[in-house]
Amino acid sequence: MADRKCLALIAHDQKKDDLAAFAKANEAVLAGWKIVATGTTGGRVLDVCPGLDVARLKSGPLGGDQQIGALIATGDVDCLIFFVDPLTPMPHDVDVKALMRLAIVYDIPMALNRATAEQLIDFRRN
Ligand SMILES: O=C(CO)COP(=O)(O)O
């Protein structure tokens, strides 16, 4: 069987409920992906979908965004879904910007809100 593609999942605190609901609603599709996630986000996804293949990295403010950025740079992440909170200042805002920048540099599909994530996951279903 061909290697599964890798999906990165991240959500800021105010968006974690939304990402957990998104993961549950799309569990069957997500089961076809190898998933990497920042620490807390990955834990929330596994709480609702314990059967998914989720590798948890560091929490975002402690370097998790940078770890995912590095995986994008090495070609190990194929798609990024990042539910961003645009209303709360973040201590690691520079890391968030750096991650988005690398997703653009390496031209990987990137959804920054649920509406786009729903389209992306549907588009990439097969
Ligand atoms: O802060 C984050 C993304 O910038 C997410 O990190 P956690 O999933 O560890 O909360």
Side-chain angles (χ1 to χ4, degrees):
M1 189 170 98
D3 264 2
R4 282 168 305 151
K5 294 207 165 193
C6 180
L7 169 68
L9 289 179
I10 315 177
H12 285 145
D13 287 352
Q14 300 300 316
K15 299 288 179 178
K16 283 185 171 66
D17 287 349
D18 210 14
L19 185 70
F22 170 82
K24 190 69 198 162
N26 293 286
E27 187 171 5
V29 182
L30 295 183
W33 290 79
K34 201 168 63 172
I35 295 170
V36 290
T38 48
T40 321
T41 300
R44 289 291 308 274
V45 170
L46 284 170
D47 283 346
V48 293
C49 305
L52 290 182
D53 177 10
V54 180
R56 294 171 63 191
L57 305 178
K58 288 194 176 269
S59 184
L62 298 179
D65 294 290
Q66 294 213 25
Q67 286 182 293
I68 290 180
L71 289 171
I72 291 172
T74 52
D76 294 310
V77 166
D78 303 289
C79 186
L80 171 63
I81 291 179
F82 188 172
F83 284 14
V84 173
D85 172 8
L87 300 176
T88 306
M90 306 278 164
H92 59 305
D93 190 51
V94 290
D95 295 23
V96 174
K97 286 201 177 102
L99 170 58
M100 292 177 187
R101 181 179 168 280
L102 286 174
I104 294 165
V105 167
Y106 288 93
D107 196 26
I108 66 162
M110 169 172 60
L112 299 178
N113 61 15
R114 185 166 182 175
T116 313
E118 298 283 2
Q119 300 274 333
L120 191 58
I121 210 81
D122 205 40
F123 180 68
R124 298 182 70 89
R125 192 171 292 269
N126 293 307

